Amino acid sequence: MTDEDDIARGLEDVTVAETRLSSIDGEAGELVIGGFPLAELAGNVTFEETVFLLREDRLPNESELASFREDLASRRAIAPETRETLRAAAEDGLPAMDVLRMGVAAANLGGDADGAGGTDEKQELGDLSDDALTAIAVMPTVVAAYWRYREGDEPVAPREDLGHAANYLYMLTGEEPDEAAVRGLETYLNTVIDHGLNASTFTARCIASTESDVFSAVTGAVGALKGPLHGGAPGPVLEMLIDIHESGDPEAAVRERLDAGERLMGFGHRVYSVRDPRAAVLSDAAESFYEESGDTDFFESAREAERVGVEALAEHKPGRRLETNVEFYTAVLLHGIGIPRELFTATFGVARVGGWTAHCLEQREDNRIVRPRARYVGETDRAWTPVGER
């Protein structure tokens, strides 16, 4: 029999795959995306370039990038049947992640049936790659259409002349976004596009390992991301930061929360024993955005909350180094850009689908179906009896 200590609960520290997509050093607080340190990549390239990097293992040249952008932009439209599903879901008040799951599952409606996701036959890598681009392209359209319906407006059709990040903001508001907002969102999308074998990415790879289609894998990943232990923290972080900001005294507000036994949201991470490198990148992006906007009050309040929070947590929990994680400055940056709080996790999905689909393709390059074991702990000596004798 297997000893209890031999069971890797949650598969923690179990290596199950090789990947060239991202590398995490939790002790040093380092994240590498496609060979580039995160801080070097995130603020300097477009989201399309990062997607290309994960797919091709290199950054594109100018002509390749133009062609890739054009291909991705041409896939943004969703079928009328999908829009009606989104309308009904919005009218019923369903949350964004439920609607995103529905929209992604229907992403291949109205497309070419030959080799498209949803068939019962094994897809070739070329078809998987094609469907992966469609999944990446339609997710912002799904989220934006849902939000417009929810607000009582009609969806805004995507524009092929705008980049991925700019088009997402445009579809949400109907207005062409300013450059500061686009650059802030672009940095965010690049920062969270991939992060090792987290729960949603592992879900996508498991589904891909069965030789299912990309839309099924992404739909499953969306379901995993919906869970509050994975993708749901930035919303509560924003609520906390707004309360702290409105108190007028960030230091007192933070310490009062801890003294009352409340949790400080946005601090600590299961992987990183130091500050999350994504927090550093997003902090810089948020600072740039708020300075350019001319209103830095909320950002300064958040930064003070971070400073006091780190100090107070060290006092309350000596021996543990609890610093800000990606959710903290995700909340600060997305709030400033104008992304509604209700769409924070869905916007996370808009970014992470680039990683999910790259992992699906990588899994299929040298595939073996994921099939771990479970230790049976139930009864073994039961005997069947007719229902009237039980």
Side-chain angles (χ1 to χ4, degrees):
M1 295 293 289
T2 304
D3 294 333
E4 182 72 19
D5 291 342
D6 292 336
I7 298 176
R9 301 288 180 184
L11 296 181
E12 187 169 6
D13 296 328
V14 176
T15 301
V16 298
E18 292 181 327
T19 183
R20 58 169 178 76
L21 302 176
S22 63
S23 173
I24 304 167
D25 186 333
E27 296 295 324
E30 296 175 352
L31 173 61
V32 172
I33 302 291
F36 293 88
L38 177 66
E40 185 173 333
L41 186 74
N44 292 319
V45 300
T46 62
F47 182 68
E48 290 92 331
E49 288 175 272
T50 309
V51 172
F52 188 99
L53 169 65
L54 293 184
R55 290 168 60 90
E56 303 295 336
D57 199 22
R58 61 182 177 83
L59 288 172
N61 61 35
E62 191 171 355
S63 63
E64 288 173 328
L65 179 58
S67 177
F68 187 71
R69 280 176 168 165
E70 183 179 355
D71 188 6
L72 196 63
S74 71
R75 301 167 182 269
R76 290 172 177 163
I78 55 177
E81 298 90 340
T82 304
R83 289 198 299 272
E84 287 307 307
T85 297
L86 302 181
R87 182 196 298 272
E91 290 175 351
D92 285 349
L94 294 181
M97 290 301 289
D98 286 355
V99 180
L100 182 57
R101 185 189 68 235
M102 298 175 192
V104 170
N108 58 332
L109 276 177
D112 182 0
D114 294 334
T119 68
D120 292 330
E121 298 179 0
K122 171 184 173 181
Q123 283 189 295
E124 298 302 323
L125 278 175
D127 295 327
L128 285 168
S129 180
D130 192 67
D131 284 352
L133 283 181
T134 300
I136 294 167
V138 301
M139 282 186 67
T141 310
V142 168
V143 175
Y146 155 77
W147 185 251
R148 299 281 297 182
Y149 283 134
R150 174 172 161 153
E151 295 296 288
D153 300 317
E154 286 298 308
V156 174
R159 279 175 48 181
E160 294 189 13
D161 62 313
L162 294 177
H164 196 77
N167 180 66
Y168 181 37
L169 293 173
Y170 168 72
M171 290 189 297
L172 284 171
T173 65
E175 299 178 0
E176 191 164 335
D178 61 54
E179 184 56 35
V182 174
R183 185 66 259 168
L185 180 59
E186 200 102 61
T187 301
Y188 170 74
L189 297 179
N190 290 332
T191 297
V192 301
I193 190 171
D194 195 54
H195 197 242
L197 286 191
N198 55 83
S200 58
T201 299
F202 185 59
T203 298
R205 285 193 78 130
C206 284
I207 295 173
S209 81
T210 70
E211 298 185 352
S212 185
D213 61 279
V214 167
F215 298 114
S216 294
V218 173
T219 301
V222 170
L225 186 65
K226 178 187 174 184
L229 293 184
H230 185 13
V237 170
L238 179 61
E239 293 174 359
M240 178 192 76
L241 290 176
I242 289 175
D243 288 344
I244 290 172
H245 176 65
E246 292 179 347
S247 75
D249 188 344
E251 179 160 5
V254 168
R255 292 189 178 277
E256 285 174 7
R257 282 176 174 269
L258 284 177
D259 290 341
E262 297 180 26
R263 179 186 174 191
L264 279 188
M265 303 296 295
F267 290 81
H269 193 277
R270 179 174 175 178
V271 173
Y272 296 107
S273 55
V274 294
R275 193 187 193 205
D276 188 332
R278 298 169 298 175
V281 170
L282 296 181
S283 173
D284 290 344
E287 183 175 17
S288 297
F289 172 81
Y290 280 92
E291 285 181 351
E292 190 163 340
S293 73
D295 183 1
T296 62
D297 287 351
F298 181 70
F299 175 76
E300 294 296 340
S301 175
R303 187 152 62 179
E304 178 66 5
E306 178 187 23
R307 182 191 68 78
V308 177
V310 170
E311 291 180 358
L313 285 168
E315 298 166 5
H316 280 255
K317 299 181 179 182
R320 295 184 63 189
R321 188 172 177 180
L322 297 173
E323 299 199 35
T324 45
N325 58 37
V326 66
E327 283 88 4
F328 190 94
Y329 279 105
T330 288
V332 177
L333 179 58
L334 294 188
H335 175 65
I337 292 170
I339 301 293
R341 174 202 176 280
E342 296 88 345
L343 299 185
F344 279 7
T345 305
T347 302
F348 190 176
V350 166
R352 186 56 63 84
V353 67
W356 291 337
T357 52
H359 274 274
C360 289
L361 296 174
E362 186 176 68
Q363 176 68 34
R364 284 290 302 277
E365 287 173 359
D366 184 22
N367 188 44
R368 182 167 184 169
I369 189 170
V370 175
R371 183 61 173 88
R373 296 181 181 179
R375 177 184 169 194
Y376 181 70
V377 295
E379 298 290 336
T380 59
D381 58 354
R382 289 173 171 164
W384 175 83
T385 56
V387 64
E389 298 176 12
R390 298 173 197 164

